[in-house]
Amino acid sequence: PPAPDRRPLAAAVLALAAPWAHAQAQDPNLARNLAATCANCHGTNGNVRGKEVKPLAGVSADKILALIADYKSGAQPATIMHQISKGYTDEQLKLIANYFAAQKPAQ
């Protein structure tokens, strides 16, 4: 027998996924909302006060992503960052890193 035509199924899957992807891409506050979970330790807008936690405001996105990769892999010891960093997709981490890179460091 001929193989079934899977194009209708693929089209249906794409049709169902498209609104979610479009809504996520259109949310102008998505990066800020994702980064808000970091405020408990890193401070509002990445301007932490204290010595044990690094400020993130104004740090390049590439550097933030490299630090997160080290936490994810276990190369950088942490109390909680290794767990938190694994809770985000790579795209979400890029949004968060770019958000903090765009913030002004506290004076």
Side-chain angles (χ1 to χ4, degrees), residues 4-20:
D5 185 2
R6 298 192 193 276
R7 288 179 288 181
L9 177 61
V13 169
L14 288 174
L16 291 172
W20 177 83

Side-chain angles (χ1 to χ4, degrees), residues 2-107:
D5 185 2
R6 298 192 193 276
R7 288 179 288 181
L9 177 61
V13 169
L14 288 174
L16 291 172
W20 177 83
H22 180 71
Q24 191 174 24
Q26 294 300 316
D27 184 354
N29 297 314
L30 182 59
R32 183 198 67 189
N33 293 345
L34 289 169
T37 60
C38 308
N40 288 332
C41 298
H42 292 279
T44 303
N45 297 330
N47 286 303
V48 69
R49 293 187 181 129
K51 296 180 182 178
E52 293 182 27
V53 179
K54 299 174 184 177
L56 298 174
V59 175
S60 77
D62 288 339
K63 184 171 183 178
I64 292 172
L65 290 170
L67 289 168
I68 291 172
D70 286 346
Y71 287 122
K72 274 181 134 177
S73 72
Q76 178 70 27
T79 55
I80 195 164
M81 272 303 298
H82 60 284
Q83 293 172 345
I84 292 172
S85 63
K86 292 177 184 176
Y88 293 96
T89 66
D90 289 342
E91 190 58 38
Q92 289 171 326
L93 290 172
K94 287 176 188 174
L95 288 170
I96 292 168
N98 285 321
Y99 174 82
F100 283 121
Q103 302 307 304
K104 294 187 192 268
Q107 298 295 333

